[in-house]
Amino acid sequence: MTTTLIDGIGLLYTGDPAREEIRDAALVLADGLVAWLGPAGRAPAADRRIAAGGRCVIPGFVDSHAHLVFAGDRTAEFEARMAGQAYTGGGIRTTVAATRRAGDAELATRAAALVAEMLAQGTTTVEIKSGYGLSVEDERRSLEIATGLTDETTYLGAHLVPEGVTADDYVRLVTGEMLAACAPYAKWVDVFCERGAFDGDQTREILRAGIKAGLQARVHANQLTEGPGVRIACELGAASADHCTHLSAADVDALASSGTVATLLPGAEFSTRSPYPDARRLIDAGVTVALATDCNPGSSFTSSMSFCVALAVREMRMTPLEAIRAATYGGARALRRADVGWLGPGTRADLVVLDAPSYTHLAYRPGVPLVHQVVQGGLLLE
Ligand SMILES: [Zn+2]
């Protein structure tokens, strides 16, 4: 067993609520895990050494919401939106048509390229949803491709009702034959609960069917309008309610008194020029908040967690500490993972050396590539 010492860490953000930050720190990695961390002066000897040169080290980002299996291009839709056209979610159908036409190899290659793009930017754990197939075979193969890239795979057959099918027939398919074909490849079940997509009753029915098939629930909730999504997520014990842009007082109370994480996706508001979620209201109410990219070809085509941290600080009034916590520890909570999103003895050795003295620089220097080195499972990526 080779051990690796990372020393010369100016600031270590551990993500461990018990001791979140350590100055002049060191870490020892062994067998792909963190074996020790603490003040540099007390570090044990190791076989190899990485000198951090006074830089800041953070846990690898946990991007708990991404749609990476798709084909096609929606640049024109973005241009039209920036010229004043409103976002409705209907553009999903454009991607569905292109995804159905694409071969398995093309879909797999494109998804793998996005995962590599994320990893180079410090994202060491990513969730990947289906949802651009909307047929039994296209959803199944989307999830099969996703399982080759991550353990965090989500069945989102209920992204939108495809053209030429009634909503009732489609819900029957999503809770029946499609679920049976997809469940072996999925950890999670998700529903786009929104006016024009799936209503409260349909959302409940689809999530319950998924849970019965052994999946865990997460919900696209309250993105475009105030609806029942957040309350259903809390009621059914979902790990996360995602978006949370339009919330009533009852929604905030439901989140605060449940274990459901509020995952905020400010890339979507940025790219659709919409009002941001009220992160302060959620944090002040005691809700656990996560940040994720929502990386998808329509409403948020960014793979950058650093960008989301900058948006969270500038646009949603989160402190830099709250933002980095949400992008690491919060994301892990949203995926019910205890082994990633923070650094302590026994966690996965997933970490990022930032070319900066503090994680605050992610917001203070927006758009600047500050990822110096990425370690995933103890391996330094060159
Ligand atoms: Zn989404």
Side-chain angles (χ1 to χ4, degrees):
M1 181 182 73
T2 309
T3 56
T4 303
L5 168 70
I6 306 179
D7 66 0
I9 301 171
L11 176 65
L12 174 62
Y13 171 74
T14 67
D16 179 354
R19 59 169 175 178
E20 241 178 337
E21 297 184 20
I22 307 172
R23 293 202 174 269
D24 300 319
L27 276 159
V28 175
L29 315 179
D31 275 339
L33 305 176
V34 173
W36 180 92
L37 58 75
R42 289 192 228 145
D47 304 322
R48 291 194 319 156
R49 176 171 174 256
I50 298 172
R55 294 179 177 89
C56 176
V57 169
I58 61 172
F61 292 120
V62 179
D63 189 346
S64 60
H65 186 136
H67 308 249
L68 305 186
V69 185
F70 64 86
D73 181 275
R74 285 162 65 184
T75 311
E77 181 189 320
F78 177 77
E79 285 172 352
R81 201 158 62 229
M82 291 304 105
Q85 215 167 83
Y87 176 72
T88 59
I92 291 170
R93 291 195 176 92
T94 311
T95 302
V96 170
T99 303
R100 285 177 175 176
R101 278 196 302 269
D104 293 358
E106 184 195 343
L107 291 177
T109 302
R110 290 179 64 141
L114 285 168
V115 171
E117 184 180 287
M118 289 173 154
L119 186 57
Q121 298 174 89
T123 298
T124 48
T125 303
V126 59
E127 180 258 21
I128 302 178
K129 301 174 195 298
S130 68
Y132 292 121
L134 309 188
S135 71
V136 174
E137 177 49 22
D138 288 309
E139 286 294 300
R140 192 207 60 77
R141 69 179 183 131
S142 296
L143 282 163
E144 189 176 11
I145 288 163
T147 56
L149 298 167
T150 184
D151 295 334
E152 303 298 336
T153 55
T154 300
Y155 168 48
L156 181 60
H159 201 184
L160 210 65
V161 177
E163 268 158 346
V165 190
T166 68
D168 284 350
D169 283 348
Y170 191 62
V171 170
R172 216 166 294 130
L173 187 69
V174 166
T175 56
E177 193 190 338
M178 190 186 283
L179 173 62
C182 290
Y185 302 98
K187 172 178 174 183
W188 302 97
V189 57
D190 193 348
V191 178
F192 186 19
C193 181
E194 187 62 58
R195 210 172 289 167
F198 297 88
D199 68 19
D201 289 343
Q202 293 165 335
T203 299
R204 244 187 224 99
E205 189 182 339
I206 294 162
L207 292 176
R208 282 206 180 113
I211 291 166
K212 213 171 145 194
L215 308 182
Q216 300 175 64
R218 46 201 320 106
V219 188
H220 279 70
N222 302 51
Q223 177 187 2
L224 305 175
T225 53
E226 211 182 282
V230 163
R231 290 192 302 281
I232 293 169
C234 296
E235 175 193 317
L236 296 186
S240 178
D242 295 34
H243 284 290
C244 293
T245 310
H246 298 272
L247 299 182
S248 67
D251 293 328
V252 176
D253 286 350
L255 286 164
S257 57
S258 72
T260 301
V261 174
T263 300
L264 309 182
L265 309 166
E269 279 78 28
F270 178 87
S271 300
T272 59
R273 201 176 274 141
S274 304
Y276 290 91
D278 191 345
R280 285 257 56 86
R281 183 184 181 201
L282 289 164
I283 293 169
D284 294 345
V287 176
T288 302
V289 168
L291 280 172
T293 61
D294 194 14
C295 183
N296 78 82
S299 58
S300 182
F301 202 9
T302 181
S303 54
S304 169
M305 287 294 283
S306 296
F307 176 61
C308 296
V309 166
L311 288 180
V313 172
R314 170 63 179 82
E315 301 293 336
M316 302 199 295
R317 298 176 189 274
M318 290 169 72
T319 66
L321 176 61
E322 286 166 347
I324 191 72
R325 186 189 287 149
T328 54
Y329 185 76
R333 291 280 304 274
L335 294 173
R336 297 203 166 125
R337 291 279 297 267
D339 60 329
V340 298
W342 66 290
L343 298 168
T347 64
R348 272 182 58 124
D350 289 352
L351 56 93
V352 182
V353 182
L354 295 175
D355 211 355
S358 158
Y359 53 79
T360 300
H361 278 229
L362 295 171
Y364 174 45
R365 306 198 65 212
V368 178
L370 294 178
V371 172
H372 178 65
Q373 285 169 318
V374 180
V375 174
Q376 188 184 42
L379 297 174
L380 176 64
L381 306 171
E382 306 289 351

